[in-house]
Amino acid sequence: MASRQVLLLAIVSAVALLPAMVSATDYTVGDGHGWTLEYPSTNWADGKSFQIGDKLVFTYTKGKHTVTEVDGAAFHACNRQGNTLMTWNSGNDTVALDKAGKRWFFCNVDNHCELGMKLVVDVADPNAPAPASPPPPSSSSSAGRLNYRARGGAVAGAVAAAALVWF
Ligand SMILES: *[C@@H]1O[C@H](CO)[C@@H](O)[C@H](O)[C@H]1NC(C)=O
Ligand SMILES: [Cu+2]
């Protein structure tokens, strides 16, 4: 039946796209709490790993807060008079993590930064070459990527095979 073929194609396509989908994530800062004083954001990033292509979404009541990107020194000092790299203030701000390295954000209203409205993320480049480690016996991180791809391919193949058997 044509509909079965369409369904099969949909399943196989979805599995093939899976690696691309997991590689870019939109993170809502503070999760359900949003970007707020009631839920200091300082530790929200702990345990999360960010990659180029991910996005941070800051949601808050417009006018009550800002999302201000600064350098590390201004961040650590909560220096609101220092050099500002970028400011967002729409209340629903999407910040693209489009480059590797640390990005520092705080709220530029009153003493909110001191109260914990600050967030640092460290953005990894998934395509960066492995850092040169003293004796290079084997490139473990590129092997890891190859394994990851091989695993994705194996999963796609297994699902496709299962679907073929099923239909
Ligand atoms: C925030 O903006 C995104 C698009 O940029 C939209 O999809 C989403 O619904 C908005 N959220 C709110 C709470 O306005
Ligand atoms: Cu604030």
Side-chain angles (χ1 to χ4, degrees):
M1 290 293 284
S3 64
R4 284 188 179 175
Q5 286 168 354
V6 169
L7 186 57
L8 179 61
L9 189 64
I11 292 170
V12 173
S13 307
V15 172
L17 286 172
L18 211 56
M21 291 189 302
V22 291
S23 72
T25 307
D26 291 1
Y27 291 94
T28 299
V29 175
D31 300 312
H33 302 268
W35 178 237
T36 169
L37 272 178
E38 284 79 60
Y39 182 76
S41 303
T42 314
N43 300 323
W44 171 81
D46 288 354
K48 296 184 174 65
S49 52
F50 302 92
Q51 284 191 358
I52 291 177
D54 292 346
K55 289 173 181 160
L56 297 178
V57 181
F58 295 81
T59 56
Y60 54 95
T61 304
K62 182 177 166 64
K64 297 255 187 211
H65 306 291
T66 70
V67 178
T68 301
E69 183 169 8
V70 293
D71 62 20
F75 176 86
H76 291 296
C78 283
N79 180 5
R80 297 159 56 211
Q81 273 70 51
N83 183 34
T84 292
L85 302 177
M86 191 72 83
T87 298
W88 294 263
N89 55 22
S90 78
N92 182 14
D93 306 324
T94 299
V95 176
L97 301 178
D98 51 5
K99 57 179 185 278
K102 289 196 171 172
R103 305 273 302 265
W104 296 271
F105 305 93
F106 64 44
C107 174
N108 198 20
V109 173
D110 298 336
N111 62 339
H112 292 190
C113 177
E114 284 87 346
L115 293 173
M117 272 192 96
K118 57 195 303 193
L119 173 71
V120 54
V121 296
D122 197 355
V123 183
D125 180 354
N127 296 316
S133 46
S138 69
S139 173
S140 60
S141 94
S142 78
R145 279 202 300 278
L146 287 174
N147 285 342
Y148 172 76
R149 291 216 170 103
R151 221 163 40 237
V155 170
V159 171
L164 279 168
V165 168
W166 180 261
F167 293 105

